[in-house]
Amino acid sequence: MTLLGKRLRKQPGGPRRRIRPTANGGLFLACLLVIFLLAINHSNNLLFTFCFLLGSLLIISFWSNLRNLRGVSGQCAGVEPVHAGQSLRYGVVLQGRDTAKRHQLQLGDQPVLVSLQGDQHQRIELSVGTEQRGDYPASMLRLSSCWPLGLFQSSVVLCRLPDALVYPRAEPLQELQLRSEGEQAHRRDGTDSLSGLKEYQPGDNLRRVHWRALARNDQLQVKQFDGEEGLPSGWLHWEDTARLGHEERIRCLTHWVLDSFNRGMEFGLLLPGQRIEPAAGAPQLHRCLSALARMPEAGR
């Protein structure tokens, strides 16, 4: 096996590196070949000297480009769900294994080039645009560089980008419609801890009346639980958006889910073949938006 093959072969447990000439590198090689043929044809020592000088630059550029990615490792720190049309933001951490400085590193197709200072850690935010809702599968992130002269491009698989979830776009196509289904709309009576009492107001759930307090002080009071803000709760129903198209219904329900969450409401979601019981808080928001993101397309 040649020395070059030994340098480029895959090391045990390590990534495979690739190197290829760029368009400028191909043009440079063609010019070098023409100069070499002219030097032979005219037996011109000056052309031979110039040709060998350019050849030396080519070799130095090749090895410098190959070494620029040696010892660079990386890992993805995670990604948060976004709505369609927004960019997924992966946190990628780069690290070198020695004190050599790396120049003009490119992550994937990102236009921004970065440099790595020796064995220091450097966190880089990688933005990936999204257009459609749903699951974005995991992919491999490549690190590449054309340093120093742009004649060669070497690349290596840096890390695995985890799969991500893209929520639907939110559009206020209809006014919020929260269906109340009696006392079953409230789900926290026996699960959350009691945080206090408040005076009874018309429309309050009778199941929350504190009868012992009524017996003690002759005042009608209702129980409040952690996280409760006293706002109404109910169901967001797929059928309430029947006049809209399929994707419009999903975007409208997404807006309703966000609106209900921002108001601090307890809400449930009724979709074709799926029922999410009423609750409040960030976990409920994620459950509902995830269900909407994974809704089948129209006709499926």
Side-chain angles (χ1 to χ4, degrees):
M1 183 180 290
T2 64
L3 177 61
L4 177 59
K6 292 180 180 180
R7 289 295 183 93
L8 294 179
R9 75 170 185 261
K10 186 177 181 180
Q11 302 295 332
R16 184 184 298 275
R17 285 179 288 175
R18 300 175 183 173
I19 186 167
R20 62 179 180 83
T22 62
N24 290 335
L27 182 61
F28 188 94
L29 285 170
C31 293
L32 185 62
L33 178 61
V34 170
I35 294 174
F36 181 70
L37 293 177
L38 288 175
I40 293 177
N41 187 50
H42 296 284
S43 298
N44 190 313
N45 291 334
L46 183 60
L47 287 178
F48 275 119
T49 301
F50 185 54
C51 181
F52 294 150
L53 176 62
L54 294 181
S56 300
L57 289 176
L58 188 69
I59 295 174
I60 293 172
S61 176
F62 177 87
W63 287 113
S64 297
N65 178 259
L66 194 61
R67 291 179 56 131
N68 195 42
L69 297 185
R70 178 181 294 180
V72 180
S73 60
Q75 61 181 358
C76 182
V79 60
E80 295 294 329
V82 297
H83 291 270
Q86 298 176 339
S87 294
L88 290 167
R89 299 188 180 277
Y90 297 90
V92 179
V93 179
L94 294 179
Q95 182 183 15
R97 289 202 301 262
D98 51 43
T99 58
K101 183 177 180 180
R102 278 80 179 184
H103 307 270
Q104 298 179 10
L105 304 178
Q106 184 179 21
L107 291 173
D109 298 327
Q110 300 298 300
V112 179
L113 302 179
V114 298
S115 296
L116 185 61
Q117 303 291 335
D119 57 354
Q120 297 180 357
H121 291 76
Q122 184 170 348
R123 181 183 174 89
I124 300 171
E125 191 174 81
L126 182 68
S127 297
V128 178
T130 63
E131 294 297 332
Q132 296 181 340
R133 61 180 175 85
D135 291 296
Y136 274 57
S139 60
M140 305 307 293
L141 176 64
R142 297 195 70 88
L143 180 69
S144 61
S145 176
C146 294
W147 186 83
L149 300 178
L151 303 180
F152 295 94
Q153 182 188 56
S154 58
S155 63
V156 63
V157 174
L158 181 67
C159 63
R160 179 180 180 272
L161 297 179
D163 51 5
L165 180 62
V166 177
Y167 298 145
R169 288 183 175 89
E171 294 184 5
L173 301 176
Q174 289 184 192
E175 290 294 328
L176 175 63
Q177 298 183 37
L178 196 66
R179 286 194 190 185
S180 176
E181 296 190 4
E183 297 174 353
Q184 293 184 0
H186 294 275
R187 305 297 300 178
R188 294 185 293 179
D189 290 355
T191 56
D192 288 353
S193 59
L194 183 66
S195 63
L197 300 173
K198 69 170 186 175
E199 292 185 6
Y200 174 81
Q201 299 291 334
D204 285 340
N205 192 342
L206 293 178
R207 293 177 59 192
R208 300 189 181 194
V209 173
H210 196 280
W211 300 109
R212 292 182 181 179
L214 177 62
R216 285 197 305 265
N217 52 30
D218 201 27
Q219 290 184 354
L220 194 59
Q221 294 178 312
V222 294
K223 295 177 283 187
Q224 285 186 302
F225 297 88
D226 289 339
E228 183 179 32
E229 298 184 13
L231 293 175
S233 64
W235 295 91
L236 304 175
H237 207 295
W238 174 262
E239 296 303 326
D240 290 336
T241 59
R243 69 178 184 84
L244 302 175
H246 183 78
E247 289 298 325
E248 290 178 336
R249 298 174 83 172
I250 295 175
R251 294 195 291 268
C252 181
L253 281 169
T254 300
H255 174 72
W256 287 0
V257 167
L258 292 172
D259 194 13
S260 301
F261 171 76
N262 292 332
R263 296 185 187 185
M265 296 178 176
E266 265 184 2
F267 60 93
L269 183 62
L270 287 173
L271 299 174
Q274 190 171 4
R275 175 189 178 102
I276 300 176
E277 296 295 334
Q284 176 74 349
L285 175 67
H286 177 68
R287 282 191 293 268
C288 293
L289 291 180
S290 298
L292 289 168
R294 297 187 172 106
M295 281 282 294
E297 296 180 1
R300 291 191 179 182

